[in-house]
């Protein structure tokens, strides 16, 4: 008895997208400011982790303590929006840098400087990201080929 083979329509029906999901994710990731957005989200998460008060203490302490939780959440949301909507990255990066700077006062010196620095660096990288730049590998290869042509 021979083993059953899948029908031909199930083998290549997705045009190769099912076989290499990491390649599709890599192409998606390289078309947007993925690293800066993740860096902002990590900074906001780190600041949230440094907040050790329970919700009853926050409500008893007032709005000052609540801001210490709201600003890192704004940072996380801005980081996610930078990744998901790169066309609006300038606005989101400005909001994220302002929220990062405000955590200096409201959230244990910006999560003991780590979250503050992650938010500032990620916001700066997102602000400076340009979508229409060629990939660096191709640029290096093109420069190498033009040098070899000039030498020959």
């Amino acid at each position: 008895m021979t083993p059953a083979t899948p029908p031909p329509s199930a083998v290549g029906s997705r045009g190769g997208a099912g076989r290499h999901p990491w390649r599709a994710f890599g192409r998606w990731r390289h078309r947007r400011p993925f690293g800066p957005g993740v860096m902002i989200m990590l900074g906001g998460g780190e600041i949230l982790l440094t907040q050790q008060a329970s919700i009853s203490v926050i409500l008893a302490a007032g709005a000052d303590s609540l801001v210490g939780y709201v600003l890192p959440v704004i940072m996380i949301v801005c980081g996610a929006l930078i990744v998901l909507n790169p066309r609006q990255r300038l606005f989101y990066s400005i909001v994220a840098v302002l929220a990062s700077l405000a955590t200096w006062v409201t959230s244990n010196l910006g999560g003991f400087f780590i979250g503050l620095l992650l938010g500032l660096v990620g916001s700066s990288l997102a602000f400076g990201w340009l979508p229409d730049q060629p990939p660096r590998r191709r640029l290096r290869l093109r420069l190498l080929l033009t040098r070899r042509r000039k030498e020959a």
Side-chain angles (χ1 to χ4, degrees), residues 26-27 42 44 48 59 72 84 145:
R27 283 191 299 270
L42 286 174
L48 273 177
L59 293 177
L84 297 175
L145 290 175

Side-chain angles (χ1 to χ4, degrees), residues 88-124:
Q88 300 296 325
R89 72 189 180 283
L90 298 177
F91 174 72
Y92 297 137
S93 64
I94 290 171
V95 171
V97 79
L98 292 175
S100 298
L101 288 173
T103 61
W104 171 268
V105 179
T106 62
S107 302
N108 296 332
L109 297 176
F112 304 115
F113 299 111
I114 297 170
L116 173 74
L117 290 176
L118 282 171
L120 290 177
V121 171
S123 299
S124 300

Side-chain angles (χ1 to χ4, degrees), residues 4-124:
T5 59
S9 62
V11 174
S13 62
R14 287 192 264 174
R19 286 184 268 163
H20 303 289
W22 288 110
R23 284 187 190 170
F25 174 71
R27 283 191 299 270
W28 177 82
R29 183 176 55 98
H30 288 296
R31 289 191 307 246
R32 55 195 67 240
F34 187 79
V38 169
M39 194 177 289
I40 295 168
M41 288 188 282
L42 286 174
E46 196 274 332
I47 293 170
L48 273 177
L49 287 175
T50 60
Q51 299 288 329
Q52 297 294 324
S54 67
I55 192 70
S56 61
V57 173
I58 295 169
L59 293 177
D64 292 336
S65 296
L66 187 62
V67 172
Y69 284 91
V70 171
L71 289 174
V73 169
I74 289 173
M75 287 175 62
I76 292 171
V77 168
C78 283
L81 288 173
I82 285 172
V83 172
L84 297 175
N85 190 5
R87 289 184 183 211
Q88 300 296 325
R89 72 189 180 283
L90 298 177
F91 174 72
Y92 297 137
S93 64
I94 290 171
V95 171
V97 79
L98 292 175
S100 298
L101 288 173
T103 61
W104 171 268
V105 179
T106 62
S107 302
N108 296 332
L109 297 176
F112 304 115
F113 299 111
I114 297 170
L116 173 74
L117 290 176
L118 282 171
L120 290 177
V121 171
S123 299
S124 300

